[in-house]
Amino acid sequence: RMGLEVALCARGRGHEVALVLGPVCPDVYRQALDAGCVVRKFVTVEDLQRELASEFACSDALVMCAAVGDFAVEGSAEGKIPRSGGPLSIRLVATNEILAGLCHEPREGKTVVGFALEAGDREAVIAKAREELARKGCDFTVVNTPQAMGASDSCACVISPKGVIVPWSVRPKSELAQEIVKLLELEKS
């Protein structure tokens, strides 16, 4: 939902937008197309990495609202595994850090906004998000709480290497999207 809101806001302000979407409800896909966004679909971490690398190469900015997953199942089975096969164990392996990989490529003139989903007291959350911002190499990080998942509102702030630049507030995701797009526009002016 957050990615869609950023895309709709940017399109509404006259920007060209490519929206990379995982498996979502058809209405999200349709809203993006109706707004004039180019929509790229992905399913796996590898798909997302490929689509983002392609789109980022010809873009001025990247807003990475969600991660596809920090872990994936190691290996795969062809077809359905029968229940009669007995108890199963799965092993989870870390996925690639797509955003960090993109940020550490040469990207002169490109602005990157990442997201961090954190729980805890605000000072600790900000400290952890600042570490991630530096490690990944983003220009900005939107810090939000787990309550944002699946909700129309988000309790969030935006940080840069200089500190909090958009204060904590509970606001509709559409309003948070406006703040993000304004930051991107200021970076380009």
Side-chain angles (χ1 to χ4, degrees):
R1 182 63 54 191
M2 190 70 234
L4 176 64
E5 292 296 344
V6 172
L8 295 176
C9 178
R11 280 297 301 145
R13 294 173 70 94
H15 301 286
E16 292 181 33
V17 175
L19 181 60
V20 183
L21 287 174
V24 296
C25 298
D27 70 309
V28 172
Y29 182 74
R30 176 60 39 213
Q31 286 179 8
L33 287 177
D34 289 349
C37 298
V38 172
V39 178
R40 305 279 186 242
K41 292 184 176 184
F42 75 92
V43 175
T44 67
V45 173
E46 293 79 16
D47 295 342
L48 176 60
Q49 193 166 15
R50 187 174 40 259
E51 290 296 337
L52 286 176
S54 173
E55 289 299 333
F56 192 52
C58 57
S59 298
D60 296 329
L62 169 63
V63 179
M64 185 83 165
C65 295
V68 69
D70 291 336
F71 293 92
V73 175
E74 183 178 58
S76 63
E78 293 295 323
K80 182 181 183 297
I81 301 171
R83 186 173 309 173
S84 62
L88 298 175
S89 295
I90 60 171
R91 178 177 157 90
L92 299 177
V93 294
T95 57
N96 294 332
E97 284 225 18
I98 297 171
L99 185 58
L102 289 170
C103 286
H104 294 298
E105 294 290 319
R107 61 178 182 98
E108 188 174 321
K110 296 178 185 281
T111 305
V112 177
V113 179
F115 274 63
L117 185 70
E118 302 290 348
D121 83 41
R122 288 189 178 169
E123 286 184 32
V125 163
I126 293 291
K128 186 175 180 197
R130 288 187 83 177
E131 288 173 14
E132 265 196 44
L133 178 119
R135 184 176 53 78
K136 290 184 179 178
C138 296
D139 300 293
F140 304 100
T141 296
V142 178
V143 186
N144 57 15
T145 63
Q147 291 78 17
M149 295 177 66
S152 58
D153 292 342
S154 186
C155 179
C157 72
V158 181
I159 63 171
S160 77
K162 298 173 187 170
V164 176
I165 58 172
V166 175
W168 283 102
S169 180
V170 175
R171 56 178 76 79
K173 288 183 178 178
S174 59
E175 287 181 19
L176 182 56
Q178 290 174 23
E179 295 290 340
I180 294 166
V181 173
K182 285 183 208 173
L183 283 173
L184 294 171
E185 291 172 341
L186 285 172
E187 286 291 300
K188 297 300 168 202
S189 62

